[in-house]
Amino acid sequence: MATRFLGVFLSTLLMTLPVSANLDQVVIEPQLERRDITEADIDSENFEVALFAGQVSVEDFSSGVLVGASLTYHVSENLFAEMAYGQAEAGQTSYEILSGGAQFLTDEERQYRYYDLAIGYKFNGEVFVSQGRALNSDFYFMLGGGNTDFAADSHFTLVLGAGYRLLLTDYLALRLDARDRIFSSELIGEQKETHNMQYTLGVSLFF
Amino acid sequence: MKWLLVCCIVILGLASARADILEVTVVEPYVDMHSGPASEYPVFHIIEQGQSVAVLKTRTGWYKVRTAKGIEGWIVADDLVMAEIAPGQTVALPEYRFEDYQQRTFEFGVYTGRLDNSNSLSVSAAWAMTQNIVAEVSATQALGEYAENQLWLVRVQHFIFPKWRLSPYMTLGFGQIRTTPDTTLIQGGGESRTSDLMEVGLGARYYLLRNFSARLEYKRLTALTARDDLEELNQWQLGFSVFF
């Protein structure tokens, strides 16, 4: 009787052993340690600085050479925000040219300067330069607002734009940009919305 | 000659010490390597389980990596977070979350809106003193048909429920406004005048993603002009801000 009792006891003990071993395995938490990586550990390149030059057509005032700079922050793989500054010297109105000498604006007033802030959405793509070699690129649309100083006056300006960015390396890019800067002006008598088209070519660096 | 060798070793040692590139090992069955930092770029290589890669740089949630064979490409942040630095040790990336927003110190914003009948553009810099109270300075340019207004404000914002993703707030502030009449319409009237300004406002901010939030606010501005009557201005603005 005693041996049978011992046998039952031992077999019960044996049966519980693997179960308790199993339980142990469940209870043990995986020692997954997370090491915080700081910004300094990985070089981040979300900012882009660009210098550009091109032509701007100032409505009613012929066209001029435009130079400028911009700073871009890439928010996500498709969205970015851009601050830009540019300046140009506008030309003469057709009236000034035809009348021969009548000056509508002084040289200082002919300075066309702007700054603006815009949001852009880009469509990523590639350009196949040759067989087996591709460069990353993107095409983007922009919408923004800003200020234009022209003819000794400041104008609130709506900015519509599109552009193309060709990345020669990860951090160096060529940019081709077109913008329409729209502002209301009463310079030549009547109040009207002026469209000032510009196209520029630029070089940019990511950092 | 010996000196040169020692110098070389020291320089090499310094160079390797400085270039402590992060190395991670893939623990997932495989990781897709894209040709560019966006999901649209094609997958051109697969990093297998157990392979190590060096993390070179990051751009908007994507990480450029190099395999032992020298193949370079971009992997998404979610895959890097799964990889191990050492056995049992994973990467915790410095990505901002809503919890970080509540612990923010500085915040910078840009806004666009209407100040009475003119369009306005504003920039702001803020310092979060506590979770509820934020001190802010802002500058606004409003370009109207007849005049240009420039104003600056020092203001205190009180967030009633800072732990809400969409959180209302109240503001109180003071500053100055400078009004310059339009020169083309008012001949010789380019003289500007400056007045003190008081502000009360209401607004709401919404946490968007990473370190971005959006904000909509209404302000009632009282200009203490030299004339007998006070000038009341209404300003609406919408914009977004980035925090650090």
Side-chain angles (χ1 to χ4, degrees):
Chain A
M1 186 69 193
T3 47
R4 182 183 280 182
F5 183 76
L6 193 70
V8 169
F9 176 75
L10 280 176
S11 57
T12 318
L13 195 71
L14 273 171
M15 276 169 76
T16 54
L17 263 178
V19 173
S20 61
N22 253 340
L23 274 175
D24 272 355
Q25 267 179 358
V26 171
V27 168
I28 288 174
E29 289 267 314
Q31 287 288 307
L32 204 65
E33 193 187 336
R34 293 214 157 237
R35 199 181 100 191
D36 286 320
I37 301 300
T38 59
E39 298 280 352
D41 292 335
I42 306 169
D43 176 25
S44 83
E45 290 183 350
N46 293 328
F47 286 96
E48 180 189 5
V49 62
L51 290 174
F52 55 83
Q55 281 281 330
V56 57
S57 157
V58 183
E59 188 166 321
D60 298 321
F61 287 86
S62 183
S63 59
V65 174
L66 178 92
V67 289
S70 68
L71 179 70
T72 311
Y73 179 69
H74 291 265
V75 180
S76 74
E77 55 191 66
N78 297 111
L79 269 181
F80 62 96
E82 185 168 286
M83 276 193 295
Y85 171 83
Q87 63 177 52
E89 193 172 348
Q92 291 182 310
T93 56
S94 7
Y95 168 72
E96 286 170 306
I97 297 163
L98 291 170
S99 70
Q103 288 293 305
F104 205 62
L105 296 173
T106 65
D107 281 351
E108 174 56 30
E109 286 172 340
R110 239 173 261 278
Q111 292 296 321
Y112 173 92
R113 293 191 185 92
Y114 71 79
Y115 59 85
D116 57 43
L117 189 98
I119 300 292
Y121 187 90
K122 61 184 182 185
F123 299 91
N124 295 300
E126 281 181 309
V127 169
F128 300 97
V129 183
S130 64
Q131 207 173 14
R133 182 160 167 72
L135 294 178
N136 289 341
S137 68
D138 51 78
F139 176 75
Y140 48 88
F141 287 108
M142 296 182 79
L143 172 69
N147 174 53
T148 307
D149 283 324
F150 181 59
D153 207 357
S154 299
H155 307 268
F156 182 84
T157 310
L158 176 72
V159 186
L160 300 176
Y164 183 75
R165 188 188 281 115
L166 181 69
L167 286 114
L168 301 177
T169 69
D170 286 329
Y171 58 87
L172 182 70
L174 285 180
R175 288 178 61 165
L176 183 64
D177 280 283
R179 296 272 187 286
D180 185 8
R181 303 178 47 80
I182 306 157
F183 60 81
S184 168
S185 166
E186 64 288 321
L187 250 183
I188 57 160
E190 51 166 335
Q191 178 93 20
K192 64 169 182 175
E193 297 291 317
T194 64
H195 289 260
N196 304 276
M197 302 292 297
Q198 67 182 59
Y199 64 90
T200 56
L201 188 66
V203 180
S204 71
L205 279 173
F206 283 80
F207 67 95
Chain B
M1 192 63 202
K2 212 179 218 175
W3 267 105
L4 200 68
L5 198 72
V6 170
C7 280
C8 282
I9 290 167
V10 169
I11 288 166
L12 275 175
L14 280 177
S16 63
R18 201 169 289 172
D20 51 344
I21 289 174
L22 182 72
E23 287 262 353
V24 296
T25 308
V26 170
V27 287
E28 286 175 283
Y30 67 92
V31 165
D32 285 338
M33 207 188 225
H34 293 250
S35 65
S39 49
E40 294 92 349
Y41 286 111
V43 176
F44 74 102
H45 188 71
I46 298 289
I47 313 168
E48 288 170 34
Q49 194 174 42
Q51 281 190 337
S52 287
V53 290
V55 183
L56 306 175
K57 62 171 78 171
T58 169
R59 186 174 296 166
T60 65
W62 287 80
Y63 289 82
K64 188 174 189 182
V65 297
R66 182 168 55 212
T67 65
K69 284 180 182 167
I71 299 164
E72 290 182 0
W74 297 82
I75 66 170
V76 74
D78 291 346
D79 283 334
L80 184 62
V81 169
M82 295 295 289
E84 287 182 337
I85 302 170
Q89 197 182 45
T90 55
V91 186
L93 295 171
E95 295 266 300
Y96 288 103
R97 270 180 286 219
F98 184 48
E99 293 77 61
D100 301 310
Y101 178 80
Q102 290 163 33
Q103 305 299 322
R104 74 197 184 281
T105 321
F106 296 108
E107 196 170 2
F108 302 94
V110 288
Y111 314 90
T112 180
R114 299 283 288 175
L115 174 68
D116 267 10
N117 294 317
S118 55
N119 293 309
S120 73
L121 273 178
S122 306
V123 289
S124 74
W127 172 50
M129 293 196 278
T130 70
Q131 281 203 4
N132 296 80
I133 297 176
V134 177
E136 188 178 77
V137 286
S138 76
T140 302
Q141 184 182 39
L143 302 164
E145 253 177 74
Y146 308 113
E148 177 190 344
N149 290 298
Q150 284 168 322
L151 52 128
W152 61 265
L153 286 167
V154 176
R155 49 212 299 256
V156 175
Q157 297 170 312
H158 181 248
F159 285 88
I160 307 144
F161 308 104
K163 289 200 163 68
W164 292 4
R165 206 177 158 104
L166 176 66
S167 175
Y169 62 88
M170 296 182 293
T171 70
L172 273 179
F174 68 92
Q176 279 188 321
I177 181 165
R178 193 174 75 174
T179 307
T180 312
D182 200 331
T183 45
T184 48
L185 288 182
I186 303 153
Q187 285 300 317
E191 204 171 302
S192 60
R193 57 172 197 276
T194 307
S195 333
D196 290 336
L197 208 58
M198 312 277 271
E199 178 229 323
V200 283
L202 261 181
R205 69 112 173 91
Y206 181 70
Y207 172 77
L208 292 171
L209 82 166
R210 299 231 302 279
N211 51 347
F212 291 91
S213 57
R215 202 203 275 181
L216 174 71
E217 71 180 18
Y218 166 74
K219 283 200 276 256
R220 182 127 176 112
L221 300 158
T222 308
L224 311 168
T225 57
R227 284 163 287 165
D228 285 343
D229 53 334
L230 301 173
E231 202 177 322
E232 299 279 351
L233 296 161
N234 297 298
Q235 185 180 16
W236 278 100
Q237 56 182 19
L238 176 69
F240 69 92
S241 63
V242 53
F243 72 86
F244 299 101

